[in-house]
Amino acid sequence: MATADAIADATSDAVARLADTRVDHRFKGLPPDAEGLTVGALAAERRSLFTGGFTTPLLALSAEALDHNLALMERWSAGHGLAFAPHGKTTMAPQLLERQIRHGAWGITAATVAQVRVYRAHGIRRVFLANEVVDAAALRWLAAELDADPDFRLYTYVDSVRGVELMDAALRAAGARRPLDVVVELGAVGGRTGARTEAECTAVADAVAGVSTLRLAGVGGYEAEIPGADGDLVRAWLRRLTALAAEFDAAGRFADVEEVVVSAGGSAWFDAVAEVFAELPALSVPVLKLLRSGAYITHDDGAYRKKTPFNRHPEEGELRPAFRLWAQVVSRPEPGRAYLNAGKRDVPYDLGLPVVRVVRSARDGSVRDAGAGMTVIGLADQHAFVELAEGAELEVGDWVGLGLSHPCTVFDKWQLIPLASEDGTVTDYVRTFF
């Protein structure tokens, strides 16, 4: 089996080739005079976000915040005895996935086979696929990948007997030589996917045992979609999950695997996951307690600032928002209102509107905190509507730094994102694949 260093090295080789991408019209916000340069060559110029020819709107990532968040979660997960497979759908950025692996991640979580294909193209060798796959073409591709690479490890959900039937038929038709490792997904009534009861989970496990193309490797689920989720409900559900693992083990259902996977954990309840997983008694085989939080890498200034478990445990650290969307004031047509040149095409709004954090003067380049007198109250396709309190200073041409909510939909809107140090120097460019 591949070592952790070998996995990271394979990823790095593939990621390094991204520097050969040519800068052109595909990538909004980048300097027009950089047309035709490679990304690596442009990064080597170390341009300033503010004076280096970039156009607004412009999304940037903070190098310091990323470093901090990566190190914090590496330390936190190891300290709580958890393996870590951060959800790659958050960023779909191979450079960041590679950094997560360098910071101790066991592998990367995916939601779709399309995402797995991106991971594989960039050298990722361990994947937790948090969905039941019943698409015959997708299963055929997975079978071929597994057969071609003995170091490729993949776990995928299964939550229905019918799903087992479809997976088995597709894998047999594909001539799969390696069994596909599956994890029975426990859900919650009114929640998202996953079998609703332990009896249904047992029926799914029985179905898996009845075919040769699948191998039962564990149990898992996602606690954040429990209706009305709070600490008590989440912990009760997690204890059902660990009890199911123990029950399956006692019944001899994991006799064919060297390691049992027990997996949960988004970005809102990973403290509860750590607490309950620590209670899991020893099983007959080693257990991979796998956390899947993804939004931590950039955090945000909205939904996840409110949700993060570090609010409940400040003594364990603090995540830092890594996004800043720079837009310019393009209109001040009436008192108390300003319009920026960034809108729904540039910023997410599914989990809250952007917030005004700082203003950079177009006159002298000075930067000041925005305070409480500037509020984004609406978005059009290419404009943000900012309500101004009496006395708020903002004029046409000023650059406005916006804090954003929901990392997944931030990354989805940008294909190439400058990575900048605190003084605005751009040191790299992060490529996304959505």
Side-chain angles (χ1 to χ4, degrees):
M1 296 294 290
T3 65
D5 285 343
I7 290 169
D9 289 343
T11 307
S12 294
D13 290 343
V15 166
R17 293 192 288 272
L18 294 174
D20 297 331
T21 303
R22 292 287 173 181
V23 175
D24 59 23
H25 60 275
R26 292 172 294 170
F27 307 123
K28 59 186 179 181
L30 298 194
D33 66 359
E35 179 93 15
L37 292 178
T38 65
V39 169
L42 180 57
E45 294 184 356
R46 300 179 67 84
R47 298 194 185 197
S48 166
L49 276 177
F50 309 111
T51 61
F54 293 89
T55 64
T56 56
L58 175 65
L59 180 68
L61 284 167
S62 162
E64 292 85 359
L66 281 179
D67 288 343
H68 170 85
N69 294 344
L70 285 162
L72 174 59
M73 283 304 291
E74 178 183 19
R75 183 172 64 250
W76 187 92
S77 56
H80 287 273
L82 298 173
F84 195 24
H87 213 315
K89 72 173 174 60
T90 299
T91 71
M92 290 306 294
Q95 291 145 285
L96 299 183
L97 304 183
E98 187 268 341
R99 290 183 66 178
Q100 289 172 308
I101 291 171
R102 290 284 181 191
H103 278 271
W106 168 91
I108 304 295
T109 296
T112 68
V113 172
Q115 291 169 5
V116 180
R117 291 186 66 195
V118 173
Y119 300 174
R120 293 295 290 158
H122 294 90
I124 304 295
R125 288 180 171 172
R126 292 176 180 170
V127 177
F128 188 95
L129 179 48
N131 229 330
E132 182 173 74
V133 182
V134 294
D135 181 330
L139 287 161
R140 184 166 58 248
W141 180 82
L142 286 174
E145 286 291 297
L146 288 164
D147 289 346
D149 184 358
D151 288 327
F152 177 33
R153 291 181 65 184
L154 174 82
Y155 297 100
T156 188
Y157 276 159
V158 62
D159 78 350
S160 65
V161 172
R162 176 58 175 158
V164 171
E165 294 172 353
L166 291 169
M167 295 170 84
D168 176 55
L171 292 169
R172 282 189 288 107
R177 296 191 299 274
R178 283 177 64 184
L180 181 62
D181 284 333
V182 295
V183 171
V184 173
E185 183 188 6
L186 175 68
V189 174
R192 205 165 66 182
T193 54
R196 293 332 197 203
T197 68
E198 283 75 0
E200 291 171 337
C201 288
T202 299
V204 173
D206 287 340
V208 171
V211 301
S212 62
T213 55
L214 304 177
R215 182 172 65 169
L216 184 64
V219 298
Y222 180 49
E223 70 288 339
E225 293 296 336
I226 297 171
D230 60 20
D232 291 339
L233 287 174
V234 166
R235 286 173 177 81
W237 178 88
L238 286 165
R239 291 190 173 101
R240 288 178 60 199
L241 185 69
T242 55
L244 187 65
E247 178 185 326
F248 280 5
D249 183 61
R253 294 184 181 277
F254 299 132
D256 294 334
V257 296
E258 298 177 353
E259 182 176 64
V260 173
V261 176
V262 181
S263 179
S267 295
W269 295 104
F270 52 74
D271 57 338
V273 172
E275 176 187 328
V276 175
F277 279 15
E279 301 169 358
L280 180 66
L283 303 185
S284 61
V285 291
V287 178
L288 182 70
K289 300 175 182 178
L290 197 60
L291 181 70
R292 306 193 309 273
S293 310
Y296 81 94
I297 189 168
T298 58
H299 197 45
D300 71 8
D301 277 298
Y304 287 97
R305 177 186 285 272
K306 298 173 184 174
K307 291 179 179 180
T308 178
F310 288 116
N311 291 338
R312 297 185 287 272
H313 306 279
E315 74 283 358
E316 295 194 89
E318 179 184 37
L319 293 170
R320 298 175 184 171
F323 284 120
R324 183 63 50 85
L325 190 288
W326 291 99
Q328 275 185 288
V329 181
V330 292
S331 184
R332 281 292 318 270
E334 60 187 79
R337 184 65 62 86
Y339 294 86
L340 313 181
N341 64 343
K344 294 178 181 178
R345 302 298 179 93
D346 312 298
V347 299
Y349 51 93
D350 55 324
L351 292 180
L353 292 172
V355 292
V356 180
R357 289 300 187 202
V358 295
V359 176
R360 185 177 190 277
S361 171
R363 294 183 181 273
D364 60 15
S366 61
V367 178
R368 65 182 186 275
D369 288 338
M374 305 179 189
T375 306
V376 177
I377 59 172
L379 297 171
D381 273 1
Q382 303 293 177
H383 292 93
F385 308 163
V386 181
E387 186 174 76
L388 303 176
E390 186 174 353
E393 297 181 13
L394 198 62
E395 64 178 342
V396 171
D398 285 348
W399 285 46
V400 176
L402 299 174
L404 306 178
S405 181
H406 198 187
C408 300
T409 45
V410 178
F411 279 105
D412 193 23
K413 294 176 180 292
W414 293 83
Q415 295 186 60
L416 195 61
I417 307 168
L419 178 69
S421 57
E422 191 171 352
D423 66 0
T425 301
V426 178
T427 58
D428 202 357
Y429 297 82
V430 174
R431 183 79 159 90
T432 65
F433 292 85
F434 283 93

